[in-house]
Amino acid sequence: MYSASAATIHFETHATSLDNESGVASGHYDVALSPLGERQAAELGLRYATAPLAAVFCSDLQRSCRTAEIAFASRRAPVFQDARLRECDYGELTRHPVAEIDQQRTSRIHSPFPGGESYEQCLRRVAAFLAERKQPSFNGTTILVIGHRATWYALEHELAARPLEDVIAAPWRWQPGWTYRLHW
């Protein structure tokens, strides 16, 4: 059955954190933005200065919240925090070197990090967030999501129809935003 209902979703990763600069994987650890990250957040706001955003959604971790706060301080678009947009919980490997996490990513698609979660669990969190956007009030609107690499993995899988295994196995490359269409 064809449905004409859709929303545009722009996705941005949070700006650079202190842990990013130190080369450690934060997971659910609530680390602050670095001074560079604060400048990047202001630049993000400039990229969307004229975008007709109905809402901004960000994870509830401060690196994401602070990115949204700096970027959209002068905008009328409401900003909502949502824990489902968090990074993967690396459990016992939280704040370990990124290279150590990178070595385990593909083996953690279905099997959780010790004391943490799997990427499949992250996917379910983000999918539940997306399901709630499928309502008449979002039809024809544009929203911005500020999250983490795990958020992006889920969006690529759910909205770009890429196999989760392929998305996670591919080298990570930051870019200034991704755009998706959410249909229902």
Side-chain angles (χ1 to χ4, degrees):
M1 181 174 175
Y2 176 76
S3 173
S5 298
T8 298
I9 297 178
H10 295 299
F11 172 74
E12 292 276 350
T13 57
H14 64 79
T16 300
S17 73
L18 294 170
D19 278 0
N20 291 142
E21 289 183 350
S22 296
V24 297
S26 304
H28 283 197
Y29 180 76
D30 206 12
V31 65
L33 293 180
S34 69
L36 169 63
E38 291 184 0
R39 290 190 302 276
Q40 291 170 334
E43 291 168 5
L44 186 152
L46 292 174
R47 282 200 303 276
Y48 291 93
T50 60
L53 299 176
V56 176
F57 295 91
C58 62
S59 99
D60 64 339
L61 296 170
Q62 70 173 311
R63 57 194 184 268
S64 185
C65 296
R66 185 76 177 125
T67 298
E69 180 181 297
I70 293 169
F72 299 102
S74 63
R75 293 283 304 263
R76 291 182 187 250
V79 176
F80 302 99
Q81 296 178 21
D82 194 315
R84 295 172 296 182
L85 299 173
R86 282 183 170 203
E87 180 58 276
C88 187
D89 182 355
Y90 302 130
E92 296 168 18
L93 298 179
T94 297
R95 301 197 82 211
H96 280 229
V98 170
E100 189 176 338
I101 301 299
D102 285 345
Q103 290 174 346
Q104 293 198 31
R105 286 194 198 280
T106 56
S107 66
R108 298 300 176 185
I109 294 171
H110 308 291
S111 174
F113 284 92
E117 66 183 338
S118 69
Y119 285 108
E120 206 168 49
Q121 290 170 302
C122 297
L123 172 68
R124 285 195 295 270
R125 286 193 275 114
V126 176
F129 165 83
L130 292 172
E132 287 181 10
R133 308 290 77 79
K134 294 179 178 181
Q135 55 183 299
S137 62
F138 286 104
N139 187 28
T141 65
T142 298
I143 63 172
L144 176 70
V145 172
I146 300 173
H148 310 266
R149 194 185 309 191
T151 317
W152 180 77
Y153 290 158
L155 293 173
E156 282 289 302
H157 175 74
E158 290 291 309
L159 302 179
R162 291 180 60 195
L164 189 58
E165 292 79 5
D166 293 353
V167 175
I168 292 173
W172 168 253
R173 288 190 183 86
W174 180 87
Q175 67 182 46
W178 289 262
T179 301
Y180 303 96
R181 293 286 287 171
L182 176 66
H183 297 276
W184 67 94

